[in-house]
């Protein structure tokens, strides 16, 4: 299924949430360039405790996190350079805003002389928004 087909299948509410997630991904990507990933995650965690901010993006609390993950995946495609880190930070926000414990995990390795890195989100329910094969 193409990206356009996936967009066509979205409900109006899905599209509203996706639009907000795209904006959130852009802001997160800019913040990651300006300050460290650790500081961004600290800001996300502290901001997720603020009652008014917890509702952003609008309507997200009416979704199960499993239904939000594909929307986050689509939204994070606007940040190809550090997509997995941006996606993980957005999932961190969504989980923390729900009062769930979650953290971003960074994996780094050098294979055949090439540096590789990946970021993923883990909550009390386990791996969120990623496949176990991707982090193996």
């Amino acid at each position: 299924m193409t990206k356009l087909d996936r967009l066509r299948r979205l409900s109006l509410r899905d599209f509203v949430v996706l639009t907000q997630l795209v904006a959130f991904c852009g802001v997160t990507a800019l913040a990651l360039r300006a300050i460290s990933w650790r500081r961004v995650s600290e800001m996300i965690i502290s901001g997720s405790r603020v009652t008014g901010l917890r509702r952003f993006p609008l309507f997200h609390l009416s979704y199960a996190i499993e239904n939000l993950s594909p929307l986050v995946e689509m939204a994070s495609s606007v940040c190809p350079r550090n997509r997995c880190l941006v996606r993980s930070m957005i999932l961190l926000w969504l989980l923390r805003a729900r009062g769930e414990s979650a953290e971003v995990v960074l994996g780094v390795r050098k294979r055949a002389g090439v540096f590789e890195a990946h970021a993923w989100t883990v909550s009390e329910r386990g791996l969120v928004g990623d496949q176990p094969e991707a982090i193996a």
Side-chain angles (χ1 to χ4, degrees), residues 13-125:
R13 189 166 80 173
D14 291 344
F15 193 75
V16 168
V17 172
L18 176 62
T19 302
Q20 294 172 83
L21 288 171
V22 167
F24 197 12
C25 285
V27 169
T28 302
L30 287 173
L32 287 167
R33 284 186 178 190
I35 56 179
S36 72
W37 69 268
R38 185 176 302 249
R39 182 71 184 120
V40 172
S41 67
E42 290 169 355
M43 291 169 57
I44 285 172
I45 290 167
S46 65
S48 70
R49 296 182 189 124
V50 177
T51 305
L53 292 177
R54 294 178 95 156
R55 294 191 177 118
F56 179 78
L58 296 176
F59 309 122
H60 84 91
L61 293 172
S62 63
Y63 287 79
I65 197 70
E66 295 79 19
N67 296 334
L68 274 174
S69 290
L71 294 175
V72 173
E73 181 67 29
M74 290 172 72
S76 66
S77 66
V78 301
C79 308
R81 182 170 175 242
N82 56 354
R83 182 178 186 175
C84 63
L85 183 56
V86 170
R87 181 185 65 234
S88 296
M89 293 293 182
I90 301 303
L91 287 169
L92 176 68
W93 169 268
L94 294 170
L95 289 161
R96 290 293 187 126
R98 295 161 185 263
E100 294 186 37
S101 174
E103 61 184 21
V104 172
V105 180
L106 301 177
V108 180
R109 72 177 173 190
K110 191 172 184 182
R111 183 170 54 175
V114 177
F115 172 77
E116 297 176 339
H118 187 59
W120 60 94
T121 308
V122 178
S123 78
E124 35 196 56
R125 67 180 83 210

